[in-house]
Amino acid sequence: MSKMTVPFASFRPMHDELRQQLDQAYHKVADNSHFILGKECKAFEEEFAAYCDAKYCVGVANGLDALFLILKAMDIGEGDEVIVPSNTFIATALAVSYTGATPVFVEPELKSYNMDPARLEAAITDQTKAVIAVHLQGRPADMDRILQIAGKYGLKVMEDAAQAHGVRYKGKRVGTFGDAACFSFYPGKNLGALGDGGAVVTNNRELADKVRAIGNYGSNQKYSHIYKGVNSRLDELQAAFLRVKLTQLDKWNEARTAIAKKYFAGIQNEKIVLPLKPDADFGHIYHVFAIRCRERDALEQYLADLGVGTVKHYPVPMHLQDCYADLGYKRGDFPIAEEISDTIISLPMFYGMTQAQVQYVIDVINQF
């Protein structure tokens, strides 16, 4: 077997196919000279809301801001608690911290990597105001059970869908199961801008209007400020690019699913734990294809030596990050999150991956 270079991700295949449309989008915005809160942003908001089968979409600067603005619009702040998974990207917790509230961690199911509803109720206190359900890696959280428990205690529910553009839960695309959802359009997402970008999706008109105002300096009318707001808006150029790319999202997700099926069928190594397969209720759009291995660091070096790009999502769990030392957690407090962090590694996954590249990854893993 001759050595091959397989990057963890590449944007070239998708962007090469869309070169003309992306160039046209750039020139349209440049020629129009309207760069903030113009026609392209409005059109993308309408198109993405329709894609999610939601009533409203508000474009914002990034996925972290989307979560933060939802929490602010819900009047969550100092003295409040918000439950988040112990296993997710740190932005989920940071959004809570930015409001002055406290993130409370709940362990995931080891197989799905998503919040374990069976552990949720025990974390609820009199200070709990909301739950953020993360659809990690492109697999939906168990929304029915989370919503049932949250409803019992009168809690708000947010979906962190930053890694889950277009995935279906019980036949319906994520984004409208909770009170609101956040999306990120960071370039590496399944729907990525050519820079930062994000959106809030909701069926609540009042919440959407408040999110929009808070993200526009607290203003819903120029020079009239009803909230102490921030500057977080999806700019016209990124919106124009996203409009082009949204038309291809389902095709790209299908291509990722085809790669995942090849990984599932081909990887046969007793040292490797494959992710949970999708089923009729829980879809998957494979933002990443994450495997686990007790010898993860050795596997990482082995794959790097053979030209295979990988990423660890995420090597240090949130409760052990320096920025959350003030919460007083120590190693052993969230053993499932720690086990995932110690053993997880994500394989190459991108639109345009060749059959030869996929087979090469399978072959080298099977030989580990």
Side-chain angles (χ1 to χ4, degrees):
M1 179 177 60
S2 58
K3 182 177 177 179
M4 178 185 295
T5 298
V6 184
F8 174 71
S10 174
F11 305 136
R12 286 297 299 273
M14 66 169 69
H15 289 165
D16 284 350
E17 287 185 6
L18 297 174
R19 180 75 59 188
Q20 183 177 358
Q21 296 98 307
L22 292 172
D23 287 347
Q24 289 172 346
Y26 163 77
H27 287 292
K28 180 167 59 173
V29 173
D31 292 344
N32 190 39
S33 295
H34 191 163
F35 302 113
I36 302 293
L37 298 180
K39 293 179 180 179
E40 293 299 316
C41 183
K42 184 175 187 299
F44 173 72
E45 290 174 341
E46 292 172 352
E47 290 159 5
F48 192 64
Y51 179 83
C52 296
D53 196 25
K55 293 180 180 178
Y56 310 107
C57 170
V58 181
V60 299
N62 53 66
L64 171 56
D65 281 3
L67 267 181
F68 166 72
L69 290 167
I70 294 169
L71 292 164
K72 287 293 286 183
M74 291 177 172
D75 297 320
I76 290 171
E78 191 170 349
D80 296 333
E81 294 177 352
V82 177
I83 293 174
V84 303
S86 59
N87 175 55
T88 185
F89 183 54
I90 200 165
T92 312
L94 289 177
V96 177
S97 299
Y98 289 168
T99 69
T102 301
V104 174
F105 303 128
V106 167
E107 288 272 67
E109 299 170 318
L110 185 57
K111 289 184 177 181
S112 73
Y113 306 135
N114 281 324
M115 182 186 289
D116 184 352
R119 300 170 183 267
L120 173 57
E121 192 163 8
I124 297 171
T125 71
D126 291 342
Q127 286 72 48
T128 307
K129 295 297 186 293
V131 179
I132 301 178
V134 180
H135 306 308
L136 196 67
Q137 301 177 359
R139 178 186 173 86
D142 191 340
M143 292 307 300
D144 280 0
R145 293 172 68 195
I146 290 171
L147 287 166
Q148 180 183 21
I149 294 167
K152 178 179 175 181
Y153 292 90
L155 306 179
K156 299 289 188 182
V157 176
M158 280 149 283
E159 296 172 72
D160 183 338
Q163 301 181 5
H165 313 70
V167 72
R168 294 182 184 274
Y169 171 70
K170 297 192 173 180
K172 181 181 176 182
R173 285 195 176 107
V174 299
T176 58
F177 289 95
D179 294 282
C182 91
F183 287 87
S184 167
F185 304 124
Y186 179 78
K189 305 300 186 186
N190 290 35
L191 178 62
L194 304 188
D196 270 321
V200 171
V201 168
T202 182
N203 284 328
N204 185 321
R205 172 67 180 272
E206 182 180 353
L207 183 66
D209 288 346
K210 193 170 181 181
V211 165
R212 189 181 300 280
I214 295 172
N216 187 34
Y217 298 99
S219 172
N220 60 4
Q221 183 179 344
K222 196 167 186 177
Y223 301 133
S224 175
H225 304 272
I226 52 180
Y227 309 108
K228 292 172 181 161
V230 297
N231 175 11
S232 183
R233 304 170 300 202
L234 179 63
D235 71 73
E236 281 291 280
L237 189 57
Q238 298 304 336
F241 291 147
L242 286 166
R243 291 188 68 197
V244 172
K245 298 179 82 172
L246 179 59
T247 65
Q248 306 299 307
L249 177 55
D250 286 341
K251 181 179 81 170
W252 294 339
N253 283 346
E254 289 169 5
R256 287 173 174 265
T257 299
I259 295 167
K261 286 180 178 178
K262 291 185 174 68
Y263 281 155
F264 279 122
I267 296 174
Q268 297 182 17
N269 183 326
E270 62 182 12
K271 295 182 178 182
I272 304 301
V273 178
L274 294 170
L276 199 60
K277 288 184 178 180
D279 56 36
D281 289 340
F282 294 86
H284 211 311
I285 47 89
Y286 299 101
H287 172 59
V288 298
F289 190 95
I291 61 175
R292 287 189 292 116
C293 178
R294 291 291 177 189
E295 303 169 43
R296 190 270 309 280
D297 293 345
L299 174 62
E300 179 184 36
Q301 187 59 58
Y302 164 81
L303 292 173
D305 291 343
L306 290 170
V308 177
T310 59
V311 174
K312 292 176 286 193
H313 294 101
Y314 304 97
V316 181
M318 290 186 298
H319 68 285
L320 298 180
Q321 293 284 353
D322 289 346
C323 65
Y324 281 121
D326 61 311
L327 296 181
Y329 294 119
K330 62 185 184 303
R331 178 164 284 278
D333 287 342
F334 296 95
I336 299 176
E338 291 167 20
E339 179 174 348
I340 293 170
S341 292
D342 290 344
T343 59
I344 202 161
I345 188 167
S346 298
L347 302 181
M349 171 62 72
F350 57 92
Y351 173 77
M353 241 184 121
T354 66
Q355 298 270 14
Q357 287 175 320
V358 175
Q359 190 60 51
Y360 180 74
V361 174
I362 291 170
D363 291 341
V364 297
I365 288 177
N366 286 342
Q367 293 177 19
F368 175 69

